[in-house]
Amino acid sequence: MIFNYEANLESARLGHLFKKEEDLFEKDNFEFMGLSQTNKRRWRILRFYMIGWTMACIFLSIVRGLGTQELGQLQFNFPDNILISVILGPILGLISGTAQILVEERIYKFMSIQRLLIIRFLYTILFLVLMVSSAYGIYQLLFGTSLGILDFAFDRGSGAIYFYMLSVDLFLAVLRQVNLMLGEGNLAKLLLGRFYTPREELRIFMFLDLQDSTVLAEKLGHVTYSKLVQDCFNDLGIAISNDAEIYQYVGDEAVLTWPMDEGIENQNLLNTFYNFKQRLEEKRAYYEQKYGCLPFFKAGVHSGIVTVTEVGKYKKEIAYHGDTINTAARIQGKCNELNSELLLSETLKNELLSTRFHFTEMGAVILKGKKGKVTIHAVSENDLQKATA
């Protein structure tokens, strides 16, 4: 049994090394460009929209350019159509991508649905104006035309093109939301069948649980309590700055995960917890005014082999299975008993060669569902970190 576990562990380590090699080129490029984690995410959004819009424009050019005749005054041949598409596509992608970033970071969840609809309507008008201006400028630069911009904008057949462009914009926005629901970057992997066959990975899992949730729910009522959980998990978005992947939300609990190397690199798994704690503290006035309390989370962390696969026939989900996840959840369940806000297994603690945080051994404890005892450690910030926080 021990031999099989060690063999699986070594296999998972090798698999993770291969995956790391796949991502090395992209990571090196980000480091070369000096991008922070937040800017990496923004670049991925822009890249998604730029590629999507370029493909959409090329598709339109193929449909318009092969076996069809233009209705309007401007006659485009196929090579000219392709050239304009290659130039215009990235420009439209930058516009749509920038709008999406603003929505996710500055607008979403911060205003009513009515205002969001008004903003969406205004954005549609602005997008069409910018699209026409860009297309007119590119055409004038490459080919020249005696048409004014208004004649260009309302040329015969332009209505169908505008309808197509708005449909593409909506389609890309929906794809972005699906990608967020599945987890950043998982949509492409799902479509490529990467999770169709179960495979093993070496990962870290953190279970974050809102404390006194029952008391808060009774005090605030279900609707207000749900808004509190929404706000907390919106603020948990800060975890992406430490390479965390938000795997699941289960009621008032969130499950975060990292590939092993990314989790221990720069103490990402520990920094995630304390950065989230600091974010809540920075918004103390907001939470106390709106909910009459400052939410407080406790966490348990463990690492090991898990299996990742695609599950579900009519509702697809990317799921992780394995004892590692159960152990992390059980460790989190010991936080109140051991009076600690952050606990992690000794297995994981031994991977963290750091003096930035203070570790206190809590001894070997019995975890529900485990035959043997598991040694766990409490984590706390050292005095220097507290002073500079």
Side-chain angles (χ1 to χ4, degrees):
M1 189 70 178
I2 294 175
F3 173 77
N4 289 338
Y5 176 80
E6 290 179 347
N8 288 340
L9 180 62
E10 184 61 26
S11 174
R13 286 185 183 274
L14 290 174
H16 179 65
L17 287 176
F18 285 124
K19 180 179 181 298
K20 190 175 180 182
E21 288 295 327
E22 291 178 2
D23 298 336
L24 187 60
F25 178 75
E26 182 180 13
K27 186 174 181 180
D28 285 344
N29 279 343
F30 282 143
E31 290 176 351
F32 175 76
M33 291 186 289
L35 296 177
S36 66
Q37 291 297 329
T38 300
N39 286 333
K40 288 180 189 179
R41 174 183 157 278
R42 291 170 179 169
W43 165 243
R44 290 190 185 103
I45 295 174
L46 291 176
R47 183 179 61 186
F48 165 75
Y49 276 94
M50 289 168 69
I51 293 174
W53 268 109
T54 302
M55 292 176 64
C57 289
I58 291 175
F59 176 77
L60 180 62
S61 297
I62 293 173
V63 173
R64 295 176 66 195
L66 297 179
T68 61
Q69 184 175 359
E70 294 288 344
L71 295 176
Q73 301 179 55
L74 296 176
Q75 298 296 311
F76 295 89
N77 57 43
F78 181 64
D80 292 345
N81 264 333
I82 294 296
L83 178 60
I84 293 174
S85 297
V86 171
I87 298 174
L88 182 61
I91 295 174
L92 297 180
L94 283 173
I95 296 171
S96 292
T98 301
Q100 183 64 36
I101 292 170
L102 289 174
V103 167
E104 290 184 14
E105 296 184 1
R106 301 292 180 90
I107 297 176
Y108 184 66
K109 292 296 182 186
F110 292 99
M111 59 177 58
S112 65
I113 187 65
Q114 292 86 353
R115 291 187 178 182
L116 281 174
L117 291 174
I118 293 173
I119 289 176
R120 181 70 195 183
F121 175 74
L122 295 176
Y123 161 74
T124 300
I125 295 174
L126 179 61
F127 176 77
L128 288 175
V129 170
L130 292 175
M131 180 188 70
V132 171
S133 301
S134 300
Y136 182 75
I138 292 171
Y139 192 86
Q140 280 281 34
L141 180 64
L142 295 178
F143 311 109
T145 176
S146 59
L147 286 180
I149 190 169
L150 290 179
D151 292 329
F152 178 88
F154 296 102
D155 196 19
R156 188 180 179 189
S158 58
I161 295 175
Y162 297 156
F163 177 78
Y164 171 80
M165 291 298 190
L166 291 178
S167 297
V168 169
D169 187 57
L170 178 61
F171 175 72
L172 291 176
V174 170
L175 274 185
R176 174 62 187 167
Q177 293 305 310
V178 173
N179 192 36
L180 288 174
M181 292 178 68
L182 291 173
E184 193 79 41
N186 283 332
L187 176 60
K189 297 175 185 177
L190 189 67
L191 294 175
L192 292 172
R194 186 169 180 177
F195 302 112
Y196 186 76
T197 302
R199 58 190 177 87
E200 291 182 326
E201 291 185 0
L202 185 60
R203 279 190 166 265
I204 298 169
F205 282 86
M206 173 185 288
F207 279 72
L208 273 164
D209 186 60
L210 177 62
Q211 297 300 292
D212 298 325
S213 56
T214 303
V215 175
L216 288 173
E218 291 177 352
K219 174 185 175 183
L220 299 173
H222 294 296
V223 174
T224 304
Y225 175 72
S226 294
K227 291 180 180 179
L228 169 65
V229 174
Q230 274 188 326
D231 280 338
C232 289
F233 289 162
N234 284 337
D235 287 329
L236 184 58
I238 195 174
I240 65 168
S241 63
N242 296 114
D243 284 339
E245 302 170 22
I246 300 177
Y247 168 46
Q248 280 183 337
Y249 299 110
V250 185
D252 50 29
E253 184 176 67
V255 185
L256 278 55
T257 182
W258 297 258
M260 185 67 177
D261 289 345
E262 293 181 14
I264 63 177
E265 183 181 7
N266 300 323
Q267 305 161 327
N268 276 329
L269 70 98
L270 301 180
N271 287 325
T272 295
F273 178 82
Y274 287 104
N275 287 343
F276 177 46
K277 179 181 177 182
Q278 183 179 351
R279 170 62 64 88
L280 295 177
E281 180 64 37
E282 290 171 354
K283 296 183 64 176
R284 173 187 286 271
Y286 167 81
Y287 281 105
E288 289 183 344
Q289 179 180 3
K290 189 171 183 180
Y291 304 108
C293 67
L294 177 66
F296 180 70
F297 285 78
K298 292 186 178 181
V301 200
H302 183 50
S303 63
I305 297 173
V306 293
T307 302
V308 58
T309 187
E310 170 190 333
V311 296
K313 182 176 181 180
Y314 298 110
K315 181 184 183 299
K316 297 292 184 182
E317 185 174 335
I318 298 166
Y320 293 96
H321 303 133
D323 182 64
T324 298
I325 301 174
N326 296 330
T327 301
R330 303 304 183 196
I331 290 175
Q332 192 283 320
K334 289 289 182 179
C335 285
N336 287 337
E337 179 182 329
L338 298 176
N339 193 29
S340 177
E341 63 182 4
L342 177 59
L343 294 173
L344 75 164
S345 63
E346 185 170 68
T347 304
L348 181 55
K349 183 261 179 185
N350 291 338
E351 299 285 343
L352 295 167
L353 304 177
S354 168
T355 58
R356 293 183 57 195
F357 294 91
H358 180 68
F359 300 97
T360 303
E361 183 176 336
M362 308 304 287
V365 300
I366 297 176
L367 300 178
K368 185 178 179 180
K370 301 283 290 184
K371 291 183 179 180
K373 292 184 177 181
V374 177
T375 302
I376 57 179
H377 294 255
V379 185
S380 59
E381 295 180 284
N382 60 38
D383 293 337
L384 178 60
Q385 281 182 295
K386 292 179 180 179
T388 56

